Each structure stands twice: as structure tokens, then as C-alpha cells.
Amino acid sequence: MEDLGDLPEADQAENQFKRFYHIYFKEKLAAEKAGKVVSLWKCYWLTFWKTLALGGMMKMVGDLVGLVGPMAINIIVLYAAAIQEGTLSKPDPTKRYHPTTWEFLKNGYVTSVVVLVATFMQSTFSNNFNHLAITEGVHLRSALQCLVYKKALKISGIAGIDTGTVVNHMSVDAFNMMMLFSMGHYIWAVPFKITLLLMLLYMQLGYSALIGAATIYVLAPVQYYICTLLSRIQKEALKVADERLQRTSELLQGIKLLKLYGWETMYGNLIQNVREKELKLLRSDAIYVALNTFLTQASSIVVTLVTFALYSTIEGKPLASSEVFTGLALFNQLTVPLYIIPFVIPIVINAMVSTKRLRHFLQMSEVDSNTPWREQEGPAAIVEYNPDSGSVLLNVKDAELERKRNILGGSDESDGVFLPELMNQPTVDGSVAAVVQNGSFTWDFNSSISVLQDIHVQIPAVNSAIETYYSVSGRHAQLLSKELWGNVQISVACTPSVAYVPQKAWLLNATLKENILFGQPYDGR
């Protein structure tokens, strides 16, 4: 890895994320002001439009230059036939002769040189286009992965998002958008090239070429129906993939418990059933993709056969060798965009589905950071290490911050350590650890109906972390679990030394009484 060198600064994920997030944040504010939903497609375009436009120009020039070779075949064949038959016109050597540009290009040797130069140009433009498209696709993937990660850090627990869903967004959805940027230009390049090829075929073979090309439109409704089925399968496959990752994450997180109770086989079968459902969808997807590819490849052969079969009947003259070779070269180029279509369509479908998923994920509610004890900006401070005690101190060197620390209960004899997240925090009596007043709890954040109302709770202060753990452990932790936290409308006050650490509740293979006591002695009073 050391021999590869460092990644250029412009290509690093941090810079690409800042570049994309600047546009996204601006569009998000504008959409919220207008009462609309931010458009990720617009963010894609505003961030990468310069490179996309440059790549599109290179693609267009490369396709145009690539048509020089097929059209030059007609000139070279006619030139060779004229030499063989002795009908090549020769200028009078006794007179000065200046050939026109067309006469100069009709020379077979000159045309061969032009084809060579055109081939070099076509390769140069195409390779540079592919480089730009793939590079910007990687940049977009890095930016989306960072954006999803940033959102996952702030997303509220009531959203019900698990680790598997986040991983899917960062891997599958970001990859789908990268593939769209790599192949997205073919959305317009394929119709553009097909139109040019049909025009050139009409110039060479007349109406028979247009009649042959019309067979493509006969297969278009079938391909459209197949693409519709592919879109549905992709949506369902992504949902099943989310479920599989979710169950796998749950298994890995609780592997110790599963081993203790011997539940490995049961949970393994659950994941296997989901995987079989996913494989069934992937098999259907592969079958439809193969069918779409077969129809596309067959259409190019059918077009060629129909065109050559009708040429003599419609045009009223036999096929010439120059027209046959030129037509075959143009039909051969026609197979390239037709071959790409089956690959581009699933990529576009996947990108549309992934963008909808990402938009829904980015719209989810976030944790409220406007609590009284949270500051948007931390104070200027210096981290110092005390070698005698082995402790790390955050020493504040600001008089105003020292004053706030003293208000929160600090004394002149304190060690000078100040935690910025405790600024302006409401304090309670020292015998009480936390107070909940007028609490309102619901399972659904968007629901106006509360499961619990007018809840008043006082958690007494304890002297050790062990007692604190047992005071909210087991089934009692359900009151504060994220599933029931939901739409919380409460007034909470707590001492600066209290923090809430959520715990996933689980049942012991025991009686209800033992689950409630959770190993503590029973007090009949």
C-alpha cells in the first residue's frame, strides 16, 4: 500500500462530502422554506454538472468520430474496384491539376489515413469520458456514504432504523448511484447514436433500412413490460436485503445469549429463510435481465435480415458490395447501443429506487440538540495530562466560563475541570437523580394519542454505579427504552452526574416474578 502513494486531496472522501453537503444543505433550507422535499437529483446535478457536461461533450465527439470508419468503407471499396476495373479517372500529366477536397478524400490511401486518425481520436475521447464518469461516480458514492453516516449519528431512536438498514444505504444505495454516474450518459447517448446510424443507413440502403429498423419498435412494448417487472423486483429485493442484514446484526449482537440458550439453529433458520426469499428474487431478476438481453441481441439480427431482404424489392436494384460492407459495419455499430440498453435500464431503475430510499432516510427525525444543557459550540479549552494521577483534565482558561461553572455548583477548591455539555442545565435536589414531570409517551412519533399520560417520576440518587444499574435494569428499563420514548412531551431535570444509557430488554427463561426481580431479593412489603 505504501508504494501506491497518497490519495490526491481533491479525491478524498472528506473534500467530496463537503462539496456535496454544501449544495445539499442549501437546497434543504430552500425546500423547507417552500414547504417541499429536497430533491437529491437536483443536488447531484448542481454538485457535478461541470464534469458531467464535459464528459457528455467527450462522449458525443467520440461517437461522431467513431462513425468515420463505417462510412469510409464505401469509399475504400469503390476506390479499390475502380483500380481493378481500370475506371479510375487520371488527370492529364501535361496540365497542372488541383484536386478538390472531396476528390482528395476519395483517394483510398488518404481515406485509410483519415480512418486511422479517427480511430485514435475515438479511443482518446471514449477513454477520457469513461475516466471522468467513473471518477465522479466514486466521488458521489463517497459523499453519499458520509452523508448517510452523518445522518445515522443524529437520527432519532423513534425512527426504528437498525444497523442493517444503514449499512444497506451506505453500500447498496451508494453503489447504485455510482453505477448511474458511470453509465448514466448512455441514457441520451444511445438514442442519439441510434438516430445517427438510422440516418446513415437510410443514405446507404434507402427505405429498406427504415423498415428493418421498425422491427425494433415491435419489441419495445415487451422490453418495457420486462423493465417494469425488474423495477418491482429490485424494490422487493432491497427490502428483503434490509431484513436479512437486520436479522444478521441481531444474531451477532446477541450471539452470547443465543449460545447460552442453544438458539443458534432457530435463529440460523430464520436468516436462511430470508436469504432463500432474497435468492428467489435475485433469480427472477437474472431471468428477466437475460430475456431482455436476448430480445435486444435478436433485434439487431432481425433488422439486418429484413433490410437486406427488402432492399432489391424496394430500391429496384441489386445490392452492391460497397453498400453491403458499409451496411454491415453500420449494423454492427447499431448492436453496441442495443447491447448496452439491457444493462443501462436496470442501473437507472436501481438508481431511482435508491434515491427514493435515501430521500426517505434523510427525511427521518433527528435527536433534538436544543436541550438546555447542550451548547452548539464548545468553549475554548486546553487538554492537560497529569502524570501523577494519570488523569486527563479539560482546563478552561476563560473567566466567563469559570463563572458559569461556579453557578452550576463548582467551588473555588475545585480542580478546574469543566464539561461544556452541562452549561445551563437545570439542577434538582441532591437526593433526586432525575425527575420526569407531565410525561407523555407514545409508540408512534406521528400519533397524537399517548399510551401514557401525566407521568410523574422521581428517581432517587444512589451512591454507586451498581445500584444505579439495578434501579433501572430488567423490565423496569422498558419505561425508558427507545421503543416507548416515542413522542415525548416531558419536563426533565437531572443532576449533572446522571446520564441515561438505554438497554434492550430481554426475558429470562424463568418465571415472571424472577424476570421482574432480575436476581434481586424479593421484598414482600
Side-chain angles (χ1 to χ4, degrees):
M1 295 298 293
E2 295 179 356
D3 297 335
L4 296 177
D6 297 331
L7 189 68
E9 185 176 357
D11 295 331
Q12 293 181 0
E14 180 181 2
N15 293 325
Q16 294 302 323
F17 170 67
K18 291 180 180 178
R19 174 187 175 192
F20 181 78
Y21 188 73
H22 174 72
I23 300 296
Y24 172 76
F25 187 73
K26 185 187 299 184
E27 291 297 317
K28 183 180 179 181
L29 293 179
E32 290 177 352
K33 183 180 293 186
K36 300 180 180 179
V37 179
V38 60
S39 173
L40 289 178
W41 294 105
K42 186 176 181 181
C43 296
Y44 300 154
W45 171 252
L46 293 177
T47 306
F48 303 102
W49 73 270
K50 293 182 180 179
T51 310
L52 291 175
L54 179 60
M57 293 177 59
M58 290 186 175
K59 177 63 178 173
M60 182 180 295
V61 174
D63 288 344
L64 291 174
V65 175
L67 297 175
V68 174
M71 296 304 298
I73 293 178
N74 189 14
I75 299 175
I76 295 175
V77 172
L78 291 176
Y79 183 79
I83 293 178
Q84 186 177 8
E85 297 172 0
T87 59
L88 183 66
S89 60
K90 297 181 180 180
D92 189 354
T94 60
K95 297 181 180 180
R96 178 172 297 190
Y97 175 71
H98 298 283
T100 62
T101 303
W102 178 241
E103 291 176 338
F104 177 74
L105 293 176
K106 286 177 64 177
N107 185 285
Y109 297 99
V110 175
T111 305
S112 300
V113 175
V114 172
V115 172
L116 178 64
V117 175
T119 303
F120 287 147
M121 292 180 61
Q122 193 268 342
S123 177
T124 301
F125 282 109
S126 297
N127 289 330
N128 279 277
F129 156 73
N130 290 327
H131 173 73
L132 285 176
I134 293 174
T135 301
E136 288 300 332
V138 174
H139 291 167
L140 177 61
R141 183 185 66 174
S142 300
L144 289 177
Q145 287 176 339
C146 294
L147 183 63
V148 171
Y149 181 75
K150 181 181 178 67
K151 179 67 176 182
L153 294 177
K154 301 188 297 181
I155 198 167
S156 175
I158 60 176
I161 296 298
D162 55 88
T163 306
T165 304
V166 176
V167 171
N168 241 4
H169 286 314
M170 296 182 66
S171 57
V172 178
D173 293 332
F175 176 79
N176 288 339
M177 295 310 305
M178 181 189 73
M179 291 302 299
L180 177 67
F181 267 49
S182 301
M183 305 287 292
H185 279 286
Y186 289 100
I187 298 173
W188 63 265
V190 167
F192 174 73
K193 191 169 184 178
I194 290 177
T195 303
L196 289 178
L197 289 172
L198 291 178
M199 292 174 59
L200 295 176
L201 284 170
Y202 171 74
M203 294 171 58
Q204 293 293 322
L205 302 174
Y207 288 103
S208 60
L210 298 181
I211 296 175
T215 57
I216 298 176
Y217 296 97
V218 176
L219 301 175
V222 180
Q223 290 182 310
Y224 175 78
Y225 176 72
I226 294 175
C227 293
T228 304
L229 295 178
L230 282 173
S231 177
R232 297 175 184 174
I233 292 173
Q234 286 294 332
K235 291 179 181 179
E236 188 66 24
L238 287 174
K239 292 180 181 178
V240 176
D242 287 344
E243 183 181 357
R244 175 177 57 82
L245 288 174
Q246 177 184 357
R247 292 184 179 274
T248 304
S249 300
E250 291 175 351
L251 184 144
L252 294 176
Q253 291 174 2
I255 189 65
K256 183 177 180 180
L257 182 65
L258 297 179
K259 287 287 186 180
L260 289 174
Y261 288 104
W263 293 343
E264 314 98 287
T265 305
M266 180 180 66
Y267 273 83
N269 292 335
L270 289 175
I271 297 176
Q272 186 64 31
N273 292 335
V274 177
R275 178 58 179 169
E276 290 177 358
K277 187 190 301 183
E278 183 181 10
L279 288 176
K280 184 178 179 180
L281 292 172
L282 292 178
R283 290 191 195 98
S284 301
D285 180 82
I287 292 173
Y288 285 121
V289 169
L291 182 59
N292 198 17
T293 304
F294 170 76
L295 292 175
T296 303
Q297 294 297 310
S299 62
S300 61
I301 300 175
V302 172
V303 168
T304 306
L305 292 176
V306 172
T307 300
F308 287 156
L310 297 178
Y311 180 81
S312 299
T313 303
I314 295 177
E315 301 299 328
K317 59 181 180 178
L319 271 171
S321 59
S322 59
E323 295 172 342
V324 171
F325 287 115
T326 302
L328 288 175
L330 291 174
F331 279 125
N332 185 48
Q333 288 224 355
L334 185 63
T335 60
V336 176
L338 293 179
Y339 178 77
I340 293 176
I341 287 176
F343 296 96
V344 175
I345 291 176
I347 289 174
V348 174
I349 293 173
N350 292 341
M352 294 174 64
V353 174
S354 295
T355 299
K356 291 180 180 178
R357 285 162 48 86
L358 289 171
R359 183 183 62 187
H360 176 70
F361 175 77
L362 295 173
Q363 288 175 351
M364 290 184 174
S365 58
E366 300 179 357
V367 176
D368 185 12
S369 60
N370 298 321
T371 51
W373 52 85
R374 292 193 181 184
E375 287 294 315
Q376 298 298 327
E377 297 181 359
I382 300 176
V383 178
E384 296 181 357
Y385 173 71
N386 190 342
D388 298 331
S389 61
S391 60
V392 179
L393 302 180
L394 181 64
N395 292 331
V396 179
K397 307 298 183 182
D398 186 89
E400 179 63 19
L401 295 177
E402 286 289 338
R403 184 185 66 82
K404 293 181 179 180
R405 179 186 63 81
N406 294 331
I407 294 176
L408 289 174
S411 61
D412 296 337
E413 291 80 12
S414 63
D415 55 5
V417 179
F418 176 75
L419 300 179
E421 64 270 16
L422 302 179
M423 293 172 57
N424 301 325
Q425 180 181 357
T427 60
V428 297
D429 182 54
S431 61
V432 178
V435 176
V436 178
Q437 297 178 353
N438 298 323
S440 177
F441 300 86
T442 179
W443 294 107
D444 187 2
F445 181 76
N446 297 319
S447 176
S448 59
I449 302 176
S450 301
V451 178
L452 301 176
Q453 297 179 355
D454 300 329
I455 301 301
H456 302 273
V457 178
Q458 284 192 2
I459 301 177
V462 291
N463 297 324
S464 66
I466 299 297
E467 294 178 2
T468 304
Y469 167 77
Y470 281 124
S471 66
V472 295
S473 63
R475 306 301 298 171
H476 301 287
Q478 281 291 340
L479 180 61
L480 298 178
S481 67
K482 69 176 182 180
E483 287 83 3
L484 192 56
W485 201 252
N487 183 16
V488 183
Q489 301 172 357
I490 58 176
S491 174
V492 179
C494 59
T495 60
S497 59
V498 171
Y500 164 59
V501 180
Q503 170 190 336
K504 287 189 176 181
W506 52 277
L507 289 174
L508 292 171
N509 188 13
T511 63
L512 179 61
K513 178 180 178 180
E514 291 173 338
N515 273 277
I516 295 175
L517 293 177
F518 208 70
Q520 297 300 299
Y522 174 68
D523 187 356
R525 295 176 298 177

